Amino acid sequence: MSTLSEYNNNPGNIKPPGGKADFYEGQIGVDDNGFAVFVNRDFGRKALIQDIRAKQQKGVNTPHTFIDRYAPAGKENTEEARDNYKLTLTAGLGLKGTNEQFPPGSEEKLADLITQFEGQSQAAQSAEPKPGD
C-alpha cells in the first residue's frame, strides 16, 4: 500500500497556491484533497524545493513558522502531529529550538526531512520522536 505522497509523486504533499492545476513544472493535476499530482517523483521533489525557497524568501525560515504555514492546524494536521513535525525539522537540521532559523543552503536537507515525514503514516507522525531522529 502506497502513501498519498507516493501515489501523487509528491514527496512533500504540497498544494499549489490557489489550487492551480498547472502551477509547478511537471504537475499534471490536483487530487481530490487539493494536493499537486506530478508526472514523476523528480518533478515533485523539484516543486517541493521551489516551495521551500518561496517560503524562506517570505521570512518563513524556522521550524515553527514553516510548519505553521506548511501544515496549518486543522482537520488534516493535528496539533500533536504538527508539534512532532517541528521537532523533526529542528533535530534533523541540528537546531537548538523550533524558533532558530534554518541554516543557509539547507533546502535539500529540509526537503529530505519533509519527504521522510510526509511518507509516514498518520499514526507514526503523532508518535513521540525517538532520540536521534
Side-chain angles (χ1 to χ4, degrees), residues 62-80:
T62 68
H64 181 77
T65 59
F66 189 86
I67 295 305
D68 281 353
R69 176 78 57 88
Y70 190 83
K75 187 173 98 176
E76 289 177 359
N77 305 302
T78 66
E79 206 55 43
E80 184 180 18

Side-chain angles (χ1 to χ4, degrees), residues 56 59-66 86 89-91 93-104 106 110:
Q56 288 181 331
V60 180
N61 56 8
T62 68
H64 181 77
T65 59
F66 189 86
K86 292 173 187 179
L89 298 184
T90 300
L93 293 172
L95 304 176
K96 294 176 184 166
T98 62
N99 287 313
E100 187 175 342
Q101 288 192 3
F102 296 137
S106 61
L110 190 53

Side-chain angles (χ1 to χ4, degrees), residues 68-131:
D68 281 353
R69 176 78 57 88
Y70 190 83
K75 187 173 98 176
E76 289 177 359
N77 305 302
T78 66
E79 206 55 43
E80 184 180 18
R82 288 168 26 82
D83 288 345
N84 197 24
Y85 212 153
K86 292 173 187 179
L87 293 173
T88 296
L89 298 184
T90 300
L93 293 172
L95 304 176
K96 294 176 184 166
T98 62
N99 287 313
E100 187 175 342
Q101 288 192 3
F102 296 137
S106 61
E107 296 89 356
E108 293 279 340
K109 178 66 175 172
L110 190 53
D112 291 343
L113 293 166
I114 291 169
T115 297
Q116 179 184 0
F117 194 87
E118 292 292 336
Q120 297 175 17
S121 69
Q122 189 67 28
Q125 291 176 12
S126 295
E128 285 294 314
K130 296 175 184 161

Side-chain angles (χ1 to χ4, degrees), residues 9-81:
N9 290 317
N10 183 349
N13 281 333
I14 59 174
K15 293 181 177 182
K20 296 179 185 174
D22 61 353
F23 183 82
Y24 295 110
E25 181 182 4
Q27 183 181 338
I28 56 173
V30 177
D31 73 8
D32 292 341
N33 297 311
F35 295 108
V37 179
F38 294 94
V39 67
N40 63 43
R41 202 149 172 88
D42 290 336
F43 280 114
R45 180 170 173 84
K46 184 177 177 182
L48 172 59
I49 292 170
Q50 180 183 344
D51 186 67
I52 291 167
R53 287 186 177 136
K55 284 177 175 48
Q56 288 181 331
Q57 288 173 353
K58 293 177 182 174
V60 180
N61 56 8
T62 68
H64 181 77
T65 59
F66 189 86
I67 295 305
D68 281 353
R69 176 78 57 88
Y70 190 83
K75 187 173 98 176
E76 289 177 359
N77 305 302
T78 66
E79 206 55 43
E80 184 180 18

